[in-house]
Amino acid sequence: RIATNGLEALDAVASGAFDLILMDMQMPEMDGLTATRRLRDTGDSTPIYGLSANAFTSDRDACLAAGMDGFLSKPVTREKLAGVLAEVSRKAGAIRESAAESAQRTMLIDELGADAYAMLLSGFVAEAHRALVDVRDGNAQTRRMALRNLGSMADTLGLEAISTEVRAA
């Protein structure tokens, strides 16, 4: 959707969900900085990237201070927009992973109880220390096994982000 001023942008956001907002800094009736501040005041967390023909550091800083997530100088090229879309997509994926991870942990805590889950986490931390020693000091097979075991434990405990990082190592 296209909004020709900040007030229209506020109305558009109020009437539907967006994955990304490209907000021009200079618009009639209400500028993009003010519109962004108002959106953030309502608790809206939609990624917002400021747009301006000015490419000064002060413009970028003003966008970030208003609550924007980033800044693009005009003209907006396909490459610049692709970079923003990739960044927003990567962040959204991390948020979804975090939510799934939280759901897994909540389920385990409900099933096992908070004390039992805490004991399992303590065991995981101790195993992580041992695995780091094996990774640092062991041969290739020892390193692979330590990382595989650590990844499996992380999966079991609902620590998906850790599991993903360990398996990528």
Side-chain angles (χ1 to χ4, degrees):
R1 296 201 33 201
I2 296 174
T4 59
N5 63 58
L7 293 173
E8 287 181 13
L10 293 176
D11 289 341
V13 172
S15 68
F18 291 86
D19 295 320
L20 171 65
I21 298 169
L22 300 175
M23 184 78 75
D24 201 312
M25 287 180 66
Q26 299 174 352
M27 295 185 286
E29 296 187 50
M30 179 186 292
D31 66 27
L33 299 173
T34 303
T36 297
R37 284 187 201 98
R38 291 214 183 149
L39 285 171
R40 296 306 190 221
D41 287 345
T42 67
D44 189 283
S45 61
T46 304
I48 302 173
Y49 280 71
L51 301 174
S52 178
N54 299 327
F56 299 113
T57 302
S58 59
D59 294 306
R60 182 183 181 285
D61 292 345
C63 287
L64 297 176
M68 293 183 187
D69 299 277
F71 175 80
L72 287 170
S73 60
K74 294 178 185 178
V76 176
T77 64
R78 285 183 184 188
E79 291 79 19
K80 287 180 189 177
L81 187 57
V84 167
L85 293 173
E87 182 178 334
V88 169
S89 178
R90 194 170 42 255
K91 287 179 182 176
I95 290 168
R96 281 191 298 276
E97 280 182 21
S98 177
E101 203 171 277
S102 295
Q104 171 77 5
R105 281 194 304 267
T106 300
M107 182 187 72
L108 284 169
I109 291 168
D110 287 347
E111 287 181 17
L112 302 173
D115 291 338
Y117 186 76
M119 286 176 49
L120 289 173
L121 279 178
S122 291
F124 175 78
V125 170
E127 183 58 32
H129 286 290
R130 282 190 292 279
L132 290 173
V133 169
D134 287 345
V135 167
R136 185 188 67 215
D137 299 336
N139 62 33
Q141 183 177 355
T142 302
R143 285 192 296 271
R144 276 194 305 275
M145 183 164 290
L147 290 172
R148 186 177 328 131
N149 290 342
L150 196 58
S152 295
M153 288 179 71
D155 281 340
T156 300
L157 295 172
L159 306 172
E160 306 243 348
I162 293 173
S163 173
T164 300
E165 289 297 319
V166 167
R167 291 181 196 286

